[in-house]
Amino acid sequence: MLFRHARRRTRTRSDFAWGRMILPGRVPVSSSTDYKILPAGDTALVVEFGENVDRRISARVIALAGRLHEARLEGIVETVPTFRSLLVHYDPLALPPAALIARIVELMPGPQTPEQPGRVWRLPACYDAGVAPDLGDVATAVGLAPAQLIERHSSTTYHVYMLGFLPGQAYMGDVPGELALARRSIPRTRIPAGSLAIAGAMTCIFPLETPCGWHIIGRSPVPLWQAGSHPQALLAPGDKVTFAPVSLREYERLSAQAAEGSLHIAPSSAWEAAA
């Protein structure tokens, strides 16, 4: 039996210490010190791996999501990778929480889990001033010429940590340290779909028109979200992304193709962690 009953007592923050989970009237499920499993309502669990945003933690999050998918456990509804945790939605009538926790512990990837090979995308991006209202200010702030800023940003291979905020929006890191800036002091009330932006260590393409406090340094014509009866995101956690600078004229041509549904972007061969 996974749990044994404990005497009634008041739970404290220490009950949710690393590597263990407390449910009412239960005792810790694990004494590990490098993860914790917490309830998120009565139909979800959160598996947390740390407090930082880094690729080592991301590798464990993505690995656990993959292992749960491969296990095909009846009762798991969805897994949602985030920067430092995995949210597991489940049906408690089909999969009791104790059984789910036991399987999660069995499938838990170790602290030294390497990044797995993933899809590599090279996405066109236009850095022309006409679609990059913050490019000049960002270049000045970081002490680079606009051309140098474009070269630094487009020559980096980014890691997709998670999707969130908007459908299909990928949080990609890590922006070169010299380009890392705090968000704008005054957010914009509206930016166009496709805006390519940076803030902190992250870069994003915003799939939809939205308010935004990030620095807009370009725009991409690639739709990141396909709506309809079977909605689908182009990117996924664990993918790698680079940007291919294109002229404003080429951006407009590709945008026209995207509008008519004829722009097709495919990933290249898998990226290897040792590359």
Side-chain angles (χ1 to χ4, degrees):
M1 184 174 181
L2 183 62
F3 294 107
R4 60 181 174 83
H5 291 286
R7 288 192 293 271
R8 287 185 180 275
R9 62 183 177 86
T10 301
R11 286 183 294 162
T12 67
R13 290 181 62 86
S14 63
D15 288 336
F16 298 96
W18 286 100
R20 59 187 184 178
M21 171 183 176
I22 298 293
L23 295 176
R26 304 296 188 177
V27 295
V29 69
S30 172
S31 60
S32 177
T33 59
D34 60 359
Y35 66 88
K36 56 183 174 182
I37 306 174
L38 303 173
D42 55 4
T43 60
L45 297 174
V46 176
V47 186
E48 294 190 350
F49 291 100
E51 301 295 337
N52 302 316
V53 177
D54 64 50
R55 297 196 184 192
R56 177 186 59 83
I57 289 177
S58 179
R60 296 189 73 190
V61 171
I62 293 168
L64 180 59
R67 292 180 183 187
L68 287 171
H69 176 73
E70 292 172 359
R72 301 188 180 279
L73 300 179
E74 182 178 357
I76 288 185
V77 177
E78 183 183 17
T79 59
V80 183
T82 73
F83 286 117
R84 61 184 187 85
S85 65
L86 182 69
L87 178 63
V88 183
H89 293 277
Y90 68 99
D91 178 356
L93 298 180
L95 182 60
L100 174 57
I101 293 168
R103 292 293 284 141
I104 289 174
V105 172
E106 290 175 5
L107 296 170
M108 189 66 64
Q112 304 305 318
T113 300
E115 290 187 59
Q116 297 300 305
R119 299 178 302 175
V120 178
W121 302 85
R122 187 160 175 78
L123 304 182
C126 178
Y127 296 90
D128 186 271
V131 294
D134 294 327
L135 183 69
D137 289 342
V138 170
T140 299
V142 300
L144 296 173
Q148 292 175 309
L149 171 60
I150 294 169
E151 190 277 331
R152 301 287 201 285
H153 185 266
S154 62
S155 63
T156 300
T157 299
Y158 298 98
H159 171 78
V160 177
Y161 281 93
M162 62 171 283
L163 304 184
F165 182 62
L166 294 172
Q169 180 176 324
Y171 285 83
M172 295 175 273
D174 297 280
V175 168
E178 62 188 318
L179 306 186
L181 293 175
R183 298 186 182 202
R184 289 171 51 89
S185 58
I186 302 177
R188 291 185 171 88
T189 58
R190 180 182 302 174
I191 64 169
S195 293
L196 175 62
I198 59 174
M202 294 290 126
T203 190
C204 277
I205 298 173
F206 288 84
L208 304 173
E209 184 179 276
T210 180
C212 182
W214 294 36
H215 304 275
I216 311 302
I217 62 169
R219 198 178 301 171
S220 176
V222 179
L224 297 189
W225 178 254
Q226 181 179 346
S229 57
H230 299 286
Q232 184 175 3
L234 181 72
L235 304 177
D239 286 358
K240 299 295 182 290
V241 177
T242 60
F243 295 105
V246 298
S247 67
L248 182 59
R249 181 175 180 179
E250 179 67 2
Y251 164 78
E252 292 172 343
R253 184 184 72 81
L254 294 173
S255 293
Q257 290 183 2
E260 64 185 23
S262 61
L263 177 62
H264 300 292
I265 303 292
S268 62
S269 58
W271 171 88
E272 295 289 349

